[in-house]
Amino acid sequence: MTYLRYLPLVVGVCLAVSCREKTPEKQDSNIEMEQEIVVDSVPVIQQKTFKTFDGLADTTFVRLADFSDDFAYDLRYATENNFLKAKVYDCAECYTRVKTAKALIEANKEFLKHGAKIKFYDCYRPNSVQYKMWKIVPNPQYVADPVKGSIHNKGGAVDITLVDLDGKELDMGTDFDFFAKRAYHDNFDLPKEILDNRKLLKETMEAHGFWSIRTEWWHYNLSAGSNDKVANFKWDCTDQ
């Protein structure tokens, strides 16, 4: 038969070129090695570390995000989404003096127990920015006279609201910088949910050394910061 006639030739060729067949054991070994490599390539998640206040004077200016990531931010004056309709900060950063930062962190711990946390609209404001704001709206009813300055310029005031742990703002009845009676603390003609949210914000902040102003539910001053000097410290946007 034809097949039998060519069989010795096939065998001879195979012997000449050392034909070999890969064994199943070697294939299985290769598969196991590939699986080990995949497992070894899983990235290791590194935990973020924060700075401490050790050795810092209470009047030192610090960037709040360097000490905690339990806050939210919507720094309006670094955008055009504010009552000025103008961007007056070069970049969005929240700085305060050390004593203000400490008080904010402690207050936020209390809010977290209620399933909420602080969201910042404005923090320390350099006096040069106060002059920018005054030039746009030279009205002391809305903007403090930069010659005298405000507690924002001293690093002791913040404009804030509360958000839930998913980042949704609690209903406070108005937006930030809403200059009308609906934003007043002594306006109780509002739904219970709004009044409860404002009460939580106000009572917790006051318990941690802050005081409010009657016409703005979002504004809080640290009592211990009232006597500090007006400052014009400016952060470097390229370092952040």
Side-chain angles (χ1 to χ4, degrees), residues 35-204:
Q35 290 174 337
E36 289 174 2
I37 291 171
V38 170
V39 171
D40 290 341
S41 68
V42 174
V44 177
I45 299 174
Q46 294 183 342
Q47 192 169 5
K48 185 175 180 180
T49 57
F50 296 97
K51 295 180 180 179
T52 70
F53 297 112
D54 294 345
L56 295 177
D58 275 350
T59 54
T60 302
F61 283 104
V62 293
R63 179 175 177 261
L64 199 55
D66 290 334
F67 296 84
S68 174
D69 62 355
D70 289 330
F71 297 108
Y73 302 91
D74 180 15
L75 299 167
R76 296 285 187 89
Y77 297 127
T79 73
E80 294 182 356
N81 182 21
N82 56 65
F83 81 103
L84 301 170
K85 306 301 180 186
K87 177 181 176 180
V88 292
Y89 287 117
D90 292 332
C91 62
E93 289 293 353
C94 180
Y95 276 77
T96 69
R97 294 194 192 265
V98 165
K99 56 188 169 184
T100 311
K102 288 178 178 178
L104 288 166
I105 289 172
E106 290 305 310
N108 206 44
K109 289 178 182 178
E110 191 68 28
F111 288 128
L112 288 168
K113 295 177 184 178
H114 294 273
K117 60 183 180 181
I118 295 173
K119 181 176 183 176
F120 292 93
Y121 293 126
D122 196 23
C123 305
Y124 159 70
R125 183 187 306 154
N127 194 232
S128 58
V129 173
Q130 195 72 32
Y131 273 94
K132 287 183 182 179
M133 296 174 71
W134 182 258
K135 186 175 181 179
I136 298 168
V137 181
N139 185 335
Q141 185 176 352
Y142 306 111
V143 178
D145 186 335
V147 174
K148 181 180 179 181
S150 75
I151 301 184
H152 274 293
N153 306 139
K154 298 179 179 183
V158 289
D159 294 331
I160 60 175
T161 189
L162 295 176
V163 297
D164 64 23
L165 300 186
D166 293 322
K168 182 181 178 181
E169 290 189 3
L170 275 59
D171 189 356
M172 296 294 178
T174 76
D175 194 6
F176 166 58
D177 274 356
F178 180 88
F179 300 112
K181 187 178 178 180
R182 189 173 175 83
Y184 293 6
H185 277 293
D186 56 2
N187 178 8
F188 299 107
D189 187 21
L190 296 166
K192 184 178 184 301
E193 179 187 2
I194 294 172
L195 295 176
D196 287 346
N197 291 339
R198 289 187 184 183
K199 181 180 180 181
L200 173 63
L201 179 61
K202 186 173 185 289
E203 291 185 352
T204 304

Side-chain angles (χ1 to χ4, degrees), residues 11-37:
V11 172
V13 171
C14 198
L15 289 173
V17 297
S18 300
C19 295
R20 291 184 179 87
E21 196 174 352
K22 190 177 283 187
T23 62
E25 289 76 8
K26 186 171 289 187
Q27 290 175 336
D28 291 341
S29 177
N30 288 338
I31 292 172
E32 290 175 359
M33 287 178 64
E34 290 175 358
Q35 290 174 337
E36 289 174 2
I37 291 171

Side-chain angles (χ1 to χ4, degrees), residues 211-229:
W211 53 275
S212 61
I213 59 176
R214 184 179 70 88
T215 58
E216 300 176 1
W217 61 260
W218 56 83
H219 183 93
Y220 286 90
N221 300 313
L222 183 70
S223 297
S226 300
N227 295 325
D228 288 329
K229 294 181 179 179

